[in-house]
Amino acid sequence: MKMSEQLKRISDKLKKLRKLDRQLAVFGARRHKYRLNKTKTEKELVEFEHIHQIKLPEEYRAFLTHIGNGGAGPYYGLETLEDGCFSDLDYKDSNDLVDLSKPFSHTKYWNIDFGKISKDEYDQKEEEYYDNKWVNGLLRISNFGCGVNINLVVNGAEYGNIWVDDRCNDQGIYPDPYFKTNGRVTFLEWYELWLNQALAGSHYP
């Protein structure tokens, strides 16, 4: 499948969903209202890549340059490229950033089982659990809510795949479960699947 064809299909489906869901019934639509931010230029993307010492996955780059830099999307919408560096999407702190220049270290489901430990041990392990080293190389692309982040791997063996950071609910870090056959989904697959589900599963007046 040509990427240009997929981008055109995604754009058409988004327009259709925006027209159908006038009451903003789809989860998260009341926040993003199906609006998209201005697209990025190639120059802006190259500058971002230079600063963070990465190469953005081609599907995501194409979306940024042809469709928009954040806005309408799964859950509470897509984050902007710039905001994707924040460790916490609910409390964006410029002193708490993910290091994209370091490879994402996981290739399979990861979690820490605290077991039965003392309060002091728990505090120490919790500090380790939420260390940003576990999410280096992950670009935050969507806020699921309840502290859960949806991410695009931009550095490491899982490059180009979508992963979930669900440490806030003690569920660890794992590949997005959209496609259960191989446990992996890329950016445009993930975005179009959201459109398909929203168009098929929502009821409009």
Side-chain angles (χ1 to χ4, degrees):
M1 180 196 312
K2 293 182 178 179
M3 192 183 303
S4 59
E5 295 175 356
Q6 188 173 17
L7 289 168
K8 175 63 166 55
R9 192 169 62 244
I10 284 173
S11 181
D12 289 344
K13 289 179 180 179
L14 182 57
K15 290 176 183 176
K16 181 179 180 181
L17 182 58
R18 182 187 298 124
K19 183 177 180 180
L20 287 172
D21 189 20
R22 296 186 184 279
Q23 300 301 317
L24 304 177
V26 172
F27 175 74
R30 291 188 180 277
R31 177 174 293 187
H32 58 70
K33 297 180 174 59
Y34 298 109
R35 296 170 182 163
L36 290 164
N37 298 320
K38 181 181 177 182
T39 56
K40 304 292 285 185
T41 66
E42 181 65 21
K43 181 180 180 181
E44 289 172 324
L45 294 185
V46 170
E47 181 179 0
F48 182 90
E49 291 172 328
H50 177 73
I51 291 172
H52 296 282
Q53 302 175 49
I54 59 166
K55 181 72 173 177
L56 293 169
E58 286 303 315
E59 290 186 1
Y60 184 60
R61 290 179 108 261
F63 189 95
L64 291 173
T65 56
H66 291 86
I67 296 183
N69 176 30
Y75 311 119
Y76 286 109
L78 293 180
E79 297 292 321
T80 64
L81 173 64
E82 296 77 12
D83 284 355
C85 297
F86 288 110
S87 175
D88 190 331
L89 293 177
D90 291 318
Y91 305 96
K92 294 172 181 175
D93 181 351
S94 59
N95 294 313
D96 185 18
L97 303 176
V98 175
D99 190 344
L100 302 182
S101 70
K102 294 180 179 178
F104 178 57
S105 58
H106 307 297
T107 57
K108 59 183 180 180
Y109 170 79
W110 172 89
N111 205 0
I112 295 177
D113 182 5
F114 290 162
K116 294 183 178 180
I117 56 179
S118 67
K119 178 64 167 60
D120 290 341
E121 290 174 321
Y122 182 87
D123 290 343
Q124 183 178 359
K125 286 199 172 184
E126 188 175 52
E127 183 177 345
E128 170 72 6
Y129 191 54
Y130 289 105
D131 194 308
N132 280 344
K133 68 183 179 182
W134 302 120
V135 291
N136 285 332
L138 288 185
L139 183 72
R140 310 300 204 186
I141 59 171
S142 183
N143 188 340
F144 180 88
C146 300
V148 182
N149 298 315
I150 311 299
N151 311 271
L152 177 65
V153 181
V154 296
N155 196 342
E158 287 288 318
Y159 181 79
N161 293 326
I162 304 292
W163 277 63
V164 179
D165 179 2
D166 195 1
R167 289 175 297 167
C168 192
N169 298 297
D170 298 330
Q171 298 302 306
I173 302 170
Y174 49 87
D176 191 287
Y178 260 138
F179 290 151
K180 297 188 182 296
T181 52
N182 60 13
R184 299 295 185 273
V185 58
T186 61
F187 179 80
L188 290 183
E189 290 173 324
W190 173 78
Y191 194 89
E192 189 169 12
L193 182 58
W194 165 69
L195 288 169
N196 291 344
Q197 291 179 338
L199 287 167
S202 298
H203 302 283
Y204 309 105

